[in-house]
Structure formats: structure tokens, C-alpha cells
Amino acid sequence: MGILSKTQPRNRFCSRTFLFKITALLFIFSLFSLILFKVDDTVSQIATGTKTVVGHNLGQTPWHKFPPKQLEEKNNTKYTKAANLIKCSYFTCLFSSNPSNTPLDRHQELPNSSTCPSFYRWIHRDLEPWAQSRISVGNLMEAQTHAAFRVVIYGGKLYVDFYYACTQTRAMFTIWGLLQLLRRYPGMIPDVDLMFDCMDRSSVSRKRYRPGRRWPPPPLFRYCTTDWEFDIPFPDWSFWGWPETNIQPWDKEFNSIKKESQAQSWRNKTDHAYWKGNPYVASPVRMELLKCNDTKLWGAEVFIQDWIKEKQAGFKTCDLASQCKHRYKIYAEGFAWSVSLKYILSCGSLPLMINPVFQDFFSRGLVPKENYWPVTFSNLCRSIKFAVEWGNANPSKAEEIGRGAQDLMGSLNMERVYDYMYHLINEYSKLQNFKPVPPSTSQEVCMESVLCYANEREKGFLKGSIASPSLSMPCALQSPDRELVENLIQKNRKIIDDVQEMERIQMEKKDRKNIVPTSSIQPMNQTRLL
């Protein structure tokens, strides 16, 4: 008993120590579980809430469906994906070396440049709806209903708020282009807030918005416009490259096309028209063009482009530079305008343009019979045949028009593309009646963050289009002259009408020759049926 009585306090102490340890362990385990739960919850929120330049957590635009993106993830685990999203979206730009991040007034340091090309005057016409009323925050928010993303330039930095995914790498390369603009003119790009849609067709109808009724229209940037919309055209993504079709950045692609086109004299080129593309894009023009694939009957050679097979074959048969061996190249719009226009014009061949409806930023500078030959959609095959026969009968004139198209595209180098972007954004910023501020939902985007999301193939195109700071000021923009622009429009229409009239007269002559005179028709022997 004595021995037991002496050891009882020790056992009670051990029991209390053991309970304390168990309680502490349970507390630590619970705390650790809570931390893991919170971390897991935070990781899930980041993984599902971060919207990116390549399309993470972004749905399709409701106004233009396209196949969903297949994002390339090296490791699909939730934690590695979240870690990559955090790194690329929130930390990369903290260490950016982009010179645009440092405000710099270079206006007095840089020498003056030349006057801008005449089609830059369209900048004033595109922005005319807001010249009097100006652009309010309300106008901007109305444009958001049509936009895929919002761009805010603030203090020389670029912020983007993503709404919907863009097909392929359009968003990535468009935003990359804006970053190169900041790099080319550091400290010279004003604070600006704009909405951008990256899909094909323009959407702000002139029928819906009219002075005195619903005015002004929402300001929306995109790659093209029409005579019936207010959308503001902006240089398309392919100027910085299009990896999905193996098209290089513009300056490199143009030089390659021009060099290849000059390897053969114009007169030695194939004397009929050529088109290669994808007709299955809801394009009535391209579907009708397929019917003209007969070199003897219509003087045209038409090929269907299968991009899936081209990619599998390593793009060996779709090199643009190799497609300049014909005297005539056909331009046919797709679902809307087509980026192929600038490559067709670059060939030095006579461009045959089929009643274009959509306009990109530079196509307003084209003059019929100087840079292209107009072709009529309503009688397409015969119109192509007439153009080819006219060109073969007038080789010097046809060659001159083809050279005029190539020279025009040669003058539109990337320096001029950036100048157009500069003036468009600068003039647009003057119309805002509010001070742009990045919204809380936007992310800063820099060159490093875009490269962080790009795969190896995309990085090659992006790095191949990095701009250098300009050694001169942007070209000098002409003052607004609405009457001059309207006169140019009427002049071009008159030329097109004259060509169509010449075509109509020629066709009527041929039709009369093909009609057999009634007097020469011998009566058929009639047999009485018994």
C-alpha cells in the first residue's frame, strides 16, 4: 500500500501530460487542417477566378461561337496550375523591364517625321460620332456589351479586363501589339480607356444609333468596320504573327513575299487568276467562287485550304511567298474581312477584289485601277474572266496596278502601323470626358507576363515582333477634312461604276455573237404521230 500510495501522484501527472499532448496534437492537426482547407479554398478561387490573355476561365462570346480552346498545361494539377496563374498574372510584371513602364517625355528629344499617308484621315471620320458629344463612362459601359476585353493605359502601363475568350491567339497578339506601341513611344501614349472586340464582324449599327434619337453610339474597337456600322477599325493581330497558320510578323512576311514575287517577271507568270482559302466560313462570296474553278472557261484556279491538314504536314504547301506565281490574285471576304488582303496585295500580281463590304484600317487607302481591279459578285465567274482577259490584253497596265498594290503595302511597314495606332489612340483619348483609371478587376499586363503564358511556338512569333524605341516622332497626322474624304469615296465609286459598265458592254457584245440568227435556223422535219 505504501508503495502504491507513493506512485499515485506520478500517475496522475502522467495522465494529465498525456491528455495535454493529445489535446495539443488535436489542436495542431485541426489548425493544420484548417490551414490546408483555407489554402485549398484559396487555390481553388485563384484557379477558377483568374482570367488570362490565353483564355483561362473565359467563356465564348455569345455573338460568335467558335471551337473551345485547348489550353496547354504542362501539369494539370490544381496547385501547379494556380501557381503558374499567380506567377504569370500577379508577379511577373513586378519585375518588368519594359521601357514603357518609365514615363518619359521625348517630344523635344526626337526629330520630326514625315506626313502620314492619306488614309490616316479616316481616323477623324471614324471618331466623328463623338467629336461633339464626347465619350462618357456610360458610353464606354454600353460598349462593354459587345466587347471581349477592356484596355486601360495608365501612366505608361497596360491593364486589361477580360470578359470573353477570343478565338486562337487573337487576344494575346493584339495585346502584345499594344505593348509594343508603348515600347516604341515610351511616355508618349496618353491615358486611355477603350473596349475591344476580337471577333470578325462589326456590330454597332448605324440604324440603331442616330443623332436626335439614340446618340452617341458606344465606342468599340475591332479589326474592321463597314459603311453601316460605327465600329472603329484597329490593326489586326496578324501584324505581329499568326502561329496557327504559320504567318510571320508583317515586315518579315512582306519581305519574303516581295522577294519571291520578283523571282519571276510578271509576263512570265501564269496568265490566269488564283485563289486559295477556306470557303466554309459562312461566306456566300467564297462558296460562289468555287463555281469559277475552270482555267479554260473562266480563267480562274481555285483551291480549298484545309488548315488541319496543313498543320499536320508542317505548313509545307501554304507558304504565302510561293503563291505569287500568277498574274492575278483573287481577294474574297470570309465571314467578314480577311487578313489575307494584305498578303494578296503584296504579291505584285493584279489583285481582283470581289465587292468588298468590310473595311480594315488601311483598305480605305486602296484606289480601284491603281491598287486593284474591282470584280462583281452578281456575275462572279464572268467578271473574273473579263478581268483576266483585260489584263492579258493590257499587260503593261495590269502589271502597273499590281506594282501599285505592292508598293502601297511596302509603305505600310510596322513603323507606319504603330503610327496609325498612336494617332488613333491619341485622338480617341482627347474625346474622353473622364480620367481613365484601371478597374479593380483588371490585371497589369506586360511583355513578360504574355511570354509567361505563351507556348514555345508562340514565343518565337512574339519575340520576332518586338519593337524598338522610335528614333523619330510619329508621322504628322493631317487635320480633319470631311469633304476631302467624301470626295475620295465618290471618286472611287465612279471608277468602279466605269469598270462595271465596261464589263457590261463587253459581255453584251459576246452574248450577241453567241446568239444564232433566226433566219439561219432550219425548220425541223415534223413527223405525224399515227
Side-chain angles (χ1 to χ4, degrees):
M1 291 292 293
I3 296 174
L4 290 174
S5 62
K6 290 180 181 179
T7 58
Q8 280 179 349
R10 179 183 177 90
N11 288 338
R12 291 193 198 99
F13 178 77
C14 290
S15 297
R16 287 196 298 270
T17 303
F18 178 74
L19 289 173
F20 176 78
K21 289 180 179 180
I22 291 296
T23 303
L25 287 172
L26 287 172
F27 174 77
I28 293 171
F29 178 78
S30 300
L31 182 61
F32 184 69
S33 299
L34 180 62
I35 292 172
L36 284 178
F37 175 79
K38 288 293 185 182
V39 169
D40 187 75
D41 184 58
T42 302
V43 167
S44 297
Q45 289 180 11
I46 293 174
T48 58
T50 300
K51 300 174 182 179
T52 72
V53 68
V54 292
H56 289 97
N57 305 309
L58 290 171
Q60 298 179 20
T61 56
W63 51 89
H64 189 160
K65 300 294 183 181
F66 53 88
K69 288 188 176 183
Q70 300 296 324
L71 298 177
E72 297 182 16
E73 302 284 356
K74 294 181 180 179
N75 191 324
N76 288 325
T77 66
K78 180 167 57 177
Y79 293 101
T80 53
K81 180 180 178 181
N84 191 56
L85 288 173
I86 292 171
K87 179 187 71 172
C88 295
S89 295
Y90 305 111
F91 288 104
T92 309
C93 291
L94 294 176
F95 310 100
S96 173
S97 59
N98 193 330
S100 67
N101 290 343
T102 304
L104 174 66
D105 185 2
R106 309 176 73 222
H107 289 73
Q108 296 180 353
E109 299 177 15
L110 300 178
N112 293 327
S113 186
S114 59
T115 303
C116 295
S118 60
F119 71 85
Y120 280 48
R121 293 182 185 274
W122 283 81
I123 289 175
H124 301 300
R125 192 173 191 269
D126 291 335
L127 299 178
E128 196 174 53
W130 303 276
Q132 300 299 324
S133 60
R134 297 174 62 80
I135 298 169
S136 66
V137 174
N139 295 145
L140 196 70
M141 291 303 101
E142 186 178 1
Q144 183 179 335
T145 61
H146 303 276
F149 55 85
R150 178 181 183 180
V151 171
V152 178
I153 296 175
Y154 182 76
K157 296 184 179 181
L158 185 70
Y159 300 85
V160 184
D161 200 6
F162 298 99
Y163 306 132
Y164 297 105
C166 299
T167 185
Q168 298 183 336
T169 51
R170 290 188 183 188
M172 173 184 286
F173 279 75
T174 299
I175 292 168
W176 179 262
L178 287 164
L179 289 169
Q180 300 316 304
L181 175 66
L182 293 173
R183 183 178 176 87
R184 180 163 179 78
Y185 293 119
M188 295 173 61
I189 309 301
D191 291 352
V192 71
D193 192 340
L194 59 90
M195 295 291 177
F196 203 107
D197 182 28
C198 56
M199 302 314 294
D200 290 345
R201 288 190 174 178
S202 44
S203 57
V204 185
S205 173
R206 289 179 181 264
K207 291 182 180 180
R208 186 178 182 186
Y209 298 94
R210 298 179 184 178
R213 295 179 61 185
R214 190 174 186 179
W215 195 256
L220 181 68
F221 286 71
R222 66 172 346 102
Y223 307 123
C224 70
T225 189
T226 73
D227 289 335
W228 304 283
E229 272 92 19
F230 287 113
D231 301 68
I232 305 167
F234 192 84
D236 71 77
W237 73 96
S238 64
F239 279 97
W240 294 273
W242 190 1
E244 291 86 352
T245 59
N246 202 42
I247 293 177
Q248 299 298 317
W250 169 236
D251 280 347
K252 182 178 180 180
E253 195 68 55
F254 172 78
N255 290 330
S256 177
I257 292 173
K258 183 177 181 180
K259 181 180 179 181
E260 186 69 20
S261 72
Q262 294 176 339
Q264 188 177 22
S265 67
W266 193 88
R267 292 170 183 260
N268 289 332
K269 293 182 179 182
T270 306
D271 63 353
H272 54 253
Y274 175 93
W275 182 83
K276 186 173 185 179
N278 179 12
Y280 308 115
V281 288
S283 170
V285 175
R286 293 188 177 185
M287 294 304 295
E288 187 70 18
L289 181 60
L290 295 179
K291 301 176 184 178
C292 308
N293 186 26
D294 191 321
T295 56
K296 292 183 178 179
L297 185 60
W298 306 120
E301 195 172 0
V302 179
F303 293 92
I304 295 176
Q305 180 81 71
D306 188 330
W307 285 113
I308 296 177
K309 290 184 178 179
E310 290 290 356
K311 185 177 181 180
Q312 292 172 346
F315 303 101
K316 293 179 180 178
T317 62
C318 65
D319 179 50
L320 294 176
S322 67
Q323 297 179 21
C324 298
K325 299 176 182 178
H326 295 70
R327 291 183 182 181
Y328 314 94
K329 288 282 300 261
I330 299 172
Y331 171 71
E333 291 180 332
F335 184 67
W337 111 110
S338 171
V339 300
S340 65
L341 176 59
K342 57 181 173 289
Y343 310 115
I344 290 171
L345 294 169
S346 300
C347 257
S349 307
L350 173 58
L352 309 182
M353 295 183 63
I354 308 171
N355 285 124
V357 174
F358 297 89
Q359 308 155 2
D360 63 15
F361 80 101
F362 72 85
S363 64
R364 281 92 63 92
L366 295 173
V367 179
K369 294 187 71 175
E370 288 186 19
N371 311 116
Y372 74 95
W373 185 271
V375 171
T376 308
F377 172 62
S378 59
N379 204 352
L380 182 57
C381 297
R382 296 188 72 180
S383 187
I384 291 173
K385 180 181 176 72
F386 172 76
V388 170
E389 289 179 344
W390 178 89
N392 289 336
N394 302 274
S396 297
K397 293 181 180 179
E399 182 181 7
E400 183 181 353
I401 297 173
R403 191 185 306 115
Q406 189 177 69
D407 291 344
L408 177 68
M409 300 316 296
S411 67
L412 186 66
N413 53 31
M414 285 307 297
E415 292 180 8
R416 287 293 176 252
V417 174
Y418 287 123
D419 284 359
Y420 190 94
M421 295 164 63
Y422 169 84
H423 285 300
L424 178 58
I425 289 176
N426 189 54
E427 295 300 314
Y428 173 89
S429 70
K430 296 175 183 177
L431 301 176
Q432 297 174 135
N433 63 5
F434 62 94
K435 182 172 177 58
V437 177
S440 59
T441 51
S442 66
Q443 300 174 25
E444 182 185 351
V445 180
C446 57
M447 287 175 54
E448 289 81 359
S449 66
V450 175
L451 291 171
C452 184
Y453 278 118
N455 61 34
E456 290 305 312
R457 178 174 176 78
E458 293 160 357
K459 285 179 182 177
F461 285 78
L462 294 169
K463 290 180 178 180
S465 60
I466 294 177
S468 300
S470 177
L471 299 178
S472 63
M473 289 289 290
C475 62
L477 181 65
Q478 302 92 333
S479 57
D481 193 333
R482 179 180 175 80
E483 184 177 356
L484 176 62
V485 173
E486 291 300 326
N487 288 339
L488 289 173
I489 294 173
Q490 295 304 320
K491 178 183 176 182
N492 288 347
R493 287 176 179 170
K494 176 65 167 57
I495 297 172
I496 293 173
D497 289 342
D498 290 345
V499 171
Q500 291 177 345
E501 179 64 14
M502 182 169 58
E503 182 180 305
R504 184 189 64 80
I505 294 172
Q506 183 67 21
M507 287 182 181
E508 286 181 354
K509 287 181 180 180
K510 287 191 174 184
D511 289 341
R512 284 195 295 269
K513 287 181 180 180
N514 293 331
I515 295 175
V516 180
T518 306
S519 59
S520 67
I521 299 177
Q522 298 297 325
M524 296 178 62
N525 293 328
Q526 295 183 3
T527 303
R528 184 177 180 181
L529 297 178
L530 298 178

